[in-house]
Amino acid sequence: MAQSNPPNGVHNKIFDNVVRTPGRVPSPQPTHLSVPGGSHQFMVEKNEPGYVAPKFEGKEEQMEEVMNKVDEKGFIPEDFVESETKWFYNELGIDDSYFSTETVDAVVSHIHSLYAAKVAAYARDDKKLEMRLDKEAIDHAVYIDTSKPGVTVEDGPRYEQRIDEKYLNASKGSTSYRVETFRSASPLPGGGENQLRCYFVYQCHFNVADPEPGETSIEKVGDKRFLQKATKNTKEIYQGILEYAVGRTGPVIELFEVEGTSTKRLVVAYKQGSAMGFFSALSDLYHYYGLTSSRKYVEQFSNGYTIMSLYIRPIAQSVASARFPPIEASIHQIMKEVSLLYCIPRNKFQAHFARGHMSLQETIYAHCVWVFVGHFLNRLGGEYTALLSILDPKNSVHAELLSKLKRRLRNETFTADYILEIVNKYPDLIKSLYLAFANTHYVQTRGEADDFLPTLSYLRLKVDRVLSDNELKDLISKTAANEHHEMVMTAFRVFNKCVQKTNFYTPTKVALSFRMNPSFLPPEEYPQPLYGMFLVISSEFRGFHLRFRDIARGGIRIVKSRSTDAYAINARSLFDENYGLANTQQRKNKDIPEGGSKGVILLDFNHQDKVHGAFEKYIDSILDLLLPPTSPGIKDPIVDLYGKEEILFMGPDENTADLVDWATEHARARGAPWWKSFFTGKSPRLGGIPHDAYGMTTLSVREYVLGIYRKLKLDESQIRKLQTGGPDGDLGSNEILLGNERYTSIVDGSGVLVDPAGLNRAELLRLAKTRKMISSFDISQLSKDGYRVLVEDNNITLPTGETVHNGTTFRNTFHLRSTPTYDLFVPCGGRPESIDLGSVGRLINPETQKSIIPYIVEGANLFITQEAKLRLEAAGCVVFKDASANKGGVTSSSLEVLASLSFDDEGFVENMCVKQDGTVPEFYQNYVKQVQSIIRENARLEFEAIWREADASGEPKSVLSDRLSLEITKLQEEVQGTELWDDEKLRRSVLSDALPGLLLERVGLDLILKRVPESYLRSIFGSYLASRFVYEYGISAGQFAFFAFMNKRMTKVRGI
């Protein structure tokens, strides 16, 4: 029966009506949120405070001593000494821990400070009593402030933010801090509604400072002061929550009733350091709903977890506004919003939220769109497009001009700060735009009878009319002050239209993820259309995942920034770098069934140490959009406008190689049926084939190097070689181990190592085998002309007499020097675009216009821009680009996935997983050797095809590499769209040739056809036929050639 819309045309989407992904099955979730009425709620005794401070036996004696000293000082009139002292001791709710910790002089100082505040208030016209006191010692701190219940004071001392920044954010191990804070029971005299809020911070002293992994006993991992003060009930609560938290990625949120009162106890547990500013941000959250806290506790545990306990109650009725819902409704809403706050505790629009002008959802929505706008508003515009059509990109002068213009336009048009300034001017517009977003993606899971009260911002969906996109367009046009403002606010509409699914409204999450339709990208800037795009945002990072086909594979890399300037540059180029890497992956994946994809995570500059945490949040939030939500109140249904099952295949890349096992096991824990194939590059115990251990990527690079030697009849042992990416890395170490050239220079993260006579091979092999940087090279092995310059070195004189003023600059630009001379350059590491049109001229002799480097095989992705490669080739350099040279790793990954899909779980463990005692299955050993053989064969076939085509046509090899990749991928898709697949004999014949022989022997073609998804097998079928045809007949071969190729194949089939 059709639903009728309310008069304003708006209704909540009900769970049964949500577009669901076909074939999704239930899965356990790694996060926890207590559900009202569930089994994890506890009743707290009315008179059970949760904490009981050990009685300070010397309190009365200390108070007498304090009074004597206060009297001696003479600042407080004698008649008031006793009353002021007793008020401080008995009326402010300060427990005995404070008095047993502080000295008499410290207590006297605090009493004086509070009395001075009263005197100052008396002198004021408004008689307003304001008290602010802080004392910070090495191991503890005290803050006392005047506080109006339920109100965040922005222009005050902001003690909670100070506690976050100075103590809680950095809490770890022995430098962890616990917090206790109390609100005075009654208003201050003459202070109106103001009360005193006291904060006490103590350095932790744990029973067991370094517990065993997985330890959860609070008696072992708890702080001694906490264990001394916490009641039995509190310990039981914390014990249960801590056990939940250790087994989950995100926060654990529990609610407890305080019997006979309107007070609720909210308890939140999470990993230390995973939510900066969370303590103070929580206050903004409950203040927004008209609540205040009587007591709050922050406890640290030596196993790396934090637990916060908040006693929350409504503000006094005289203060409460009609807009505040009952506490029963608002507290459960707060529970749902805690995980939203956890994702971004301090968003860019926090001030609007703290003042109550915008809801948490509205401000975090605005923050996410601000990130989106920063990446996609800095576009080039129609003028650049017009100029592009006039100039000739093949002309190196024109290309260099376009390159510089593009960089300047993107850097200078809209900065992040300028965009933020604009968005801040339009809070009402944001509310309207958010309503449109919420109307699309919010799901009321239990129908109209839902006992969950939606957020205040969402309640407006029932009151305010949700504007259509055209109405929003008109509103923005009328409201925006100028063209720039209109462009920025229009980007909010673009964001709303292209979000296909999001975890924004999922009750528990660790980061915000958005699956986006990438059709908004301008084709003149991104000529190869993306198939899928994910945007992930957290307080510690932002990241993308891009892919060019439904079935696609690529690594996940984490980008760090050494300075704020480097971060700004990385942030501006993040999407373009990700797009370029995925596009390169698409071209190099020509031999395998998967298309190209890539994920890039950019760490926030203030969170450069959060590699593990950022990766875990990135993966878990993407899984939110790939797996079905099946736990009410924990993972609620989402609106899925994409509407199809979606699987991503990922692998290791920069800074993520040691995180792959976690991702694999996490996917299994969340019930992903494809967990075995989710990540490649995992450890052998999980069935992975490590690229570095077996030199998979280097094997294909070496085939190109050896191909040059073979074609030009060069003696490998006489080749002088430069390599960026040192013996500590995958490519760099294996290139040293597999090669036999005479190394003259190596550049890595630690610096530059040079010896014109040739670096000592035995010493290089030692570093490569132990994976150490050149900083560990024994410099006694250098000749008299050799030298090493490390990044930290300054003012170093080289054997040539040249002075190096800055080691880092020397390292970063060494590959552009003309001395010492070398024959072969193999980039095995380095940042993208290390050689571009602006710098490539330094590698070309100005007199002869010839390249000073005869041969380059680009092992590192995007190390040289396409324009620079073409300039080098025009100057006589033999260049083979990354998309051709380093495809060995993706071939290995694809064959690893194929094995995981072909075996059932039992067979996979038996044949592909190295045992706990280190025993390697015989099949695994032989399969690895076959994978290596296939990598060499594919690289050799492509090398020969490019060399042959270059000789015949004279076209640059860098262009031919791209053309070859495009021809193969284009033909692959065309073959999949024909009826060739329907010919069973042909299908079985092609797959028998395309699939590894060992896999066919062990599993059998019939079982492989049954277990591997048909879409994946179709891709294998298409990619094998397409690649073999192009390698054999060439890039420019036409339909008749393909007809001849297929005739040969059909003849073979008929002969079977």
Side-chain angles (χ1 to χ4, degrees), residues 569-686:
I569 293 169
N570 289 336
R572 283 196 296 267
S573 63
L574 175 64
F575 181 81
D576 287 347
E577 179 179 323
N578 197 159
Y579 180 91
L581 290 167
N583 204 7
T584 299
Q585 196 82 21
Q586 170 78 354
R587 294 195 299 273
K588 76 170 71 169
N589 285 15
K590 60 185 79 67
D591 299 318
I592 63 175
E594 301 98 335
S597 72
K598 209 73 172 182
V600 179
I601 301 167
L602 174 65
L603 294 177
D604 184 84
F605 179 67
N606 295 315
H607 297 280
Q608 294 296 297
D609 59 336
K610 298 292 178 58
V611 170
H612 285 240
F615 180 80
E616 290 178 7
K617 290 183 176 184
Y618 174 89
I619 294 298
D620 190 64
S621 60
I622 287 179
L623 286 176
D624 284 345
L625 304 186
L626 301 180
L627 296 172
T630 57
S631 307
I634 298 175
K635 294 289 182 184
D636 282 345
I638 60 175
V639 175
D640 187 353
L641 300 179
Y642 178 65
K644 293 182 284 186
E645 185 176 9
E646 199 164 21
I647 303 173
L648 301 183
F649 297 106
M650 302 179 179
D653 206 310
E654 283 183 21
N655 298 311
T656 62
D658 59 338
L659 305 174
V660 169
D661 283 4
W662 177 89
T664 302
E665 292 177 325
H666 187 62
R668 175 163 59 177
R670 288 201 60 172
W674 27 260
W675 68 270
K676 299 193 299 293
S677 59
F678 183 43
F679 258 85
T680 55
K682 50 191 176 288
S683 68
R685 69 180 180 83
L686 291 171

Side-chain angles (χ1 to χ4, degrees), residues 731-979:
L731 263 175
S733 62
N734 283 302
E735 181 66 22
I736 291 170
L737 294 171
L738 295 175
N740 192 34
E741 296 88 356
R742 182 157 58 95
Y743 276 91
T744 56
S745 309
I746 293 182
V747 181
D748 70 7
S750 66
V752 178
L753 182 66
V754 176
D755 195 335
L759 293 165
N760 183 281
R761 179 155 180 80
E763 181 66 0
L764 282 182
L765 290 174
R766 179 185 73 82
L767 296 185
K769 290 175 181 177
T770 55
R771 290 294 183 88
K772 292 182 178 178
M773 288 184 167
I774 59 165
S775 55
S776 299
F777 188 92
D778 180 2
I779 57 174
S780 69
Q781 301 294 324
L782 295 173
S783 71
K784 62 180 178 61
D785 296 321
Y787 59 86
R788 181 181 66 192
V789 178
L790 301 179
V791 290
E792 59 266 25
D793 291 339
N794 295 309
N795 299 316
I796 301 294
T797 302
L798 305 182
T800 59
E802 177 186 357
T803 300
V804 175
H805 297 291
N806 183 285
T808 300
T809 303
F810 187 71
R811 188 276 309 271
N812 291 346
T813 58
F814 182 84
H815 61 281
L816 299 172
R817 291 170 61 90
S818 58
T819 57
T821 55
Y822 43 89
D823 307 302
L824 173 69
F825 178 24
V826 182
C828 292
R831 296 297 296 151
E833 302 186 5
S834 291
I835 302 176
D836 60 13
L837 264 180
S839 59
V840 70
R842 297 169 65 177
L843 299 177
I844 296 173
N845 187 309
E847 296 178 3
T848 64
Q849 288 300 302
K850 293 294 182 183
S851 170
I852 64 173
I853 312 171
Y855 321 112
I856 299 177
V857 178
E858 188 181 26
N861 285 324
L862 304 178
F863 189 85
I864 311 172
T865 65
Q866 180 74 349
E867 295 88 348
K869 291 189 187 86
L870 296 177
R871 183 86 181 273
L872 286 167
E873 289 202 63
C877 182
V878 175
V879 181
F880 282 98
K881 69 183 299 180
D882 51 356
S884 293
N886 70 7
K887 65 180 182 177
V890 302
T891 303
S892 173
S893 296
S894 181
L895 293 171
E896 179 186 323
V897 169
L898 181 60
S900 73
L901 294 172
S902 301
F903 284 111
D904 58 16
D905 283 5
E906 184 179 345
F908 184 75
V909 171
E910 179 186 344
N911 291 284
M912 288 297 295
C913 296
V914 174
K915 307 301 181 276
Q916 292 293 337
D917 62 1
T919 304
V920 182
E922 182 181 359
F923 177 87
Y924 181 94
Q925 297 178 56
N926 294 330
Y927 191 67
V928 166
K929 292 176 183 176
Q930 189 162 49
V931 170
Q932 292 174 322
S933 176
I934 292 170
I935 288 171
R936 291 192 185 98
E937 180 190 8
N938 287 342
R940 181 183 56 77
L941 287 171
E942 184 174 352
F943 173 87
E944 293 291 342
I946 293 173
W947 193 279
R948 184 177 65 243
E949 195 80 23
D951 274 353
S953 67
E955 279 196 77
K957 295 178 177 64
S958 300
V959 172
L960 291 172
S961 172
D962 288 345
R963 282 188 57 201
L964 181 141
S965 298
L966 290 172
E967 284 298 320
I968 291 177
T969 52
K970 179 184 173 184
L971 182 57
Q972 176 185 351
E973 291 169 1
E974 290 175 352
V975 167
Q976 290 184 59
T978 67
E979 296 177 356

Side-chain angles (χ1 to χ4, degrees), residues 417-428:
D417 288 342
Y418 182 42
I419 295 168
L420 182 63
E421 179 186 327
I422 291 172
V423 177
N424 262 315
K425 293 178 184 296
Y426 299 102
D428 290 336

